[in-house]
Amino acid sequence: MKQRALPVFLAFLLLTSCSANTSGEPTPTANAPQSKPVPVPSTPSPPPEPQELSLMATGDVLLHPQLLAEAETGDGHDFAPLLAGLEPYVQDADVALCNLETPIGTAPYSGYPMFSVPAQIVTDLAKLGYDGCTTATNHTVDKGTAGVNRTLDTLEQQDLFATGSYRTAKEAAEPPIMTVDGVKFGIIASTYSLNGMRADADWQVDTGVGAAKLIQRAKQAAKDGAEIVVAAIHDGAEYSSKPTEAQRRLGRALAESGAFDFIYMHHTHSVLPIEKHAGTWIVYGLGNSVAKHATPTILNREGISIKATFTRDPKEDWGLSELAWVPHQLSESPVRWCQVATADDCLPAADAKASLARTTQTVNAFDAFDDGLVPWEVD
């Protein structure tokens, strides 16, 4: 569009104004139109880095024949009722890890001594809110390489992190790191044994509970970017309330190394003490998460779950700032996960009270409460 000519009077005013402006630039009059500022597109700020993250760790997921029978639906299995009591705790943590004791198989399924369980257990753990599972146990190769691969395929299909067993040498060489809200967790898993069997390849399962090897793996995970490093060790004597001497030496050596931020163990199918040593928390035995053993002892019906809260300090280093625990007992039939810390109609009141007293005494055998272990309470 062409510009219209200025009236003579207005041109005179502009000329006068220009001559009075020492900068040589014309000064706009009060009635002159002002140009509007051009909006600058805003760049969205990156989300703030988390300053606190919590990890839930639970014990063995061990599906004995009674649990399979109770979960049958006619056209499959439904383990949701068995696991339902865990849900508020899983949801209360930023990341939840199980220990998947047994390989995923195909029908007909089997129990001890050579386990094979349906894939539905992984589906139901994922629905509950679990983020991953460790898979290095004494039953990992019960169904050979096919079982190892099927288990990992199933976990992958549910978008669950897994470490402890591997499908390929390349997979075994990858850093055992899961990323949560941008923070990298290194999970160092291993089992004391494969029940006398051998994996088809040395890299297939993380085996061995020697301190030197585990510490080296932890340091390598840190070099690979892990900001928090946790040990998840399958070891101990079954149906005991005390760690073995070898177990305690291992836990303390890992703590003294400074390579781990937190250490926990499973396999004993019973609760063991919690200890703070060299500034690092060690859980010697989580007990079972869900199981139904033929061996008639209350110890294999009890377990604990823990919530480890990690905090980032001003130097950007992470450390465990609080450890919380909740005890449970598995009901008789149908089997259900029942917390015993507060009043609940999942178990007879007398059973829950006795279980709470027994588990509390075991957990505190090494003065964990004096060192800061707290109850895990959820709304």
Side-chain angles (χ1 to χ4, degrees), residues 52-369:
E52 185 176 279
L53 282 173
S54 57
L55 166 70
M56 177 189 191
T58 55
D60 302 322
V61 176
L62 187 54
L63 298 185
H64 292 97
Q66 181 176 328
L67 300 186
L68 299 181
E70 291 179 357
E72 285 183 3
T73 62
D75 59 353
H77 293 81
D78 179 10
F79 297 102
L82 169 66
L83 302 169
L86 280 157
E87 184 171 13
Y89 298 94
V90 173
Q91 295 297 324
D92 191 51
D94 294 307
V95 57
L97 285 178
C98 88
N99 177 59
L100 190 58
E101 173 95 10
T102 54
I104 301 302
T106 56
Y109 304 110
S110 58
Y112 182 83
M114 304 286 282
F115 283 89
S116 172
V117 304
Q120 186 64 37
I121 184 61
V122 174
T123 301
D124 290 338
L125 287 166
K127 287 180 179 177
L128 200 66
Y130 274 90
D131 301 281
C133 298
T134 55
T135 56
T137 80
N138 54 313
H139 290 289
T140 299
V141 298
D142 278 6
K143 293 300 175 181
T145 292
V148 170
N149 293 348
R150 190 184 300 111
T151 300
L152 296 173
D153 289 345
T154 304
L155 288 162
E156 185 175 63
Q157 288 162 10
Q158 294 298 324
D159 293 325
L160 296 183
F161 170 83
T163 190
S165 59
Y166 311 97
R167 291 166 289 198
T168 65
K170 180 180 178 182
E171 194 172 79
E174 294 173 357
I177 293 175
M178 67 182 304
T179 302
V180 182
D181 294 338
V183 179
K184 294 182 177 181
F185 275 85
I187 312 295
I188 308 303
S190 195
T191 178
Y192 76 102
S193 166
L194 294 175
N195 283 354
M197 295 181 287
R198 293 181 61 86
D200 287 341
D202 291 341
W203 48 259
Q204 194 169 49
V205 186
D206 287 323
T207 56
V209 291
K213 180 179 178 181
L214 293 168
I215 292 167
Q216 187 276 328
R217 289 178 58 202
K219 290 180 177 179
Q220 185 59 53
K223 289 180 181 178
D224 290 331
E227 299 164 85
I228 299 168
V229 181
V230 172
I233 310 300
H234 202 67
D235 191 25
E238 293 185 356
Y239 311 147
S240 171
S241 295
K242 298 179 180 179
T244 64
E245 287 300 318
Q247 215 184 337
R248 199 169 186 195
R249 284 196 302 271
L250 172 63
R252 289 187 158 201
L254 299 185
E256 291 167 4
S257 74
F260 294 91
D261 297 290
F262 178 51
I263 301 153
Y264 69 92
M265 304 183 191
H266 29 63
H267 165 66
T268 65
H269 312 308
S270 55
V271 177
L272 299 182
I274 297 176
E275 177 180 34
K276 193 172 189 180
H277 179 74
T280 301
W281 283 107
I282 308 166
V283 179
Y284 286 104
L286 292 166
N288 289 318
S289 185
V290 291
K292 183 59 179 178
H293 296 263
T295 305
T297 170
I298 187 63
L299 296 181
N300 62 34
R301 291 173 50 204
E302 294 175 328
I304 60 175
S305 299
I306 59 87
K307 179 184 179 183
T309 300
F310 300 90
T311 303
R312 192 197 304 259
D313 66 22
K315 295 182 179 179
E316 298 297 299
D317 293 327
W318 287 90
L320 201 162
S321 55
E322 182 180 86
L323 186 66
W325 75 294
V326 61
H328 72 266
Q329 181 177 317
L330 298 166
S331 60
E332 284 282 8
S333 182
V335 179
R336 299 288 184 265
W337 187 100
C338 304
Q339 62 87 6
V340 298
T342 58
D344 197 322
D345 60 3
C346 190
L347 288 170
D351 289 359
K353 183 178 180 180
S355 184
L356 175 60
R358 184 168 43 247
T359 305
T360 299
Q361 182 177 14
T362 298
V363 164
N364 196 42
F366 299 149
D367 300 319
F369 299 151

Side-chain angles (χ1 to χ4, degrees), residues 2-87:
K2 292 183 179 180
Q3 293 183 346
R4 299 176 65 180
L6 290 172
V8 175
F9 178 69
L10 182 55
F12 172 76
L13 289 177
L14 287 174
L15 182 60
T16 307
S17 174
C18 288
S19 63
N21 187 341
T22 57
S23 67
E25 296 293 332
T27 302
T29 65
N31 294 327
Q34 302 294 314
S35 60
K36 294 181 180 180
V38 178
V40 178
S42 59
T43 303
S45 301
E49 292 184 340
Q51 300 304 310
E52 185 176 279
L53 282 173
S54 57
L55 166 70
M56 177 189 191
T58 55
D60 302 322
V61 176
L62 187 54
L63 298 185
H64 292 97
Q66 181 176 328
L67 300 186
L68 299 181
E70 291 179 357
E72 285 183 3
T73 62
D75 59 353
H77 293 81
D78 179 10
F79 297 102
L82 169 66
L83 302 169
L86 280 157
E87 184 171 13

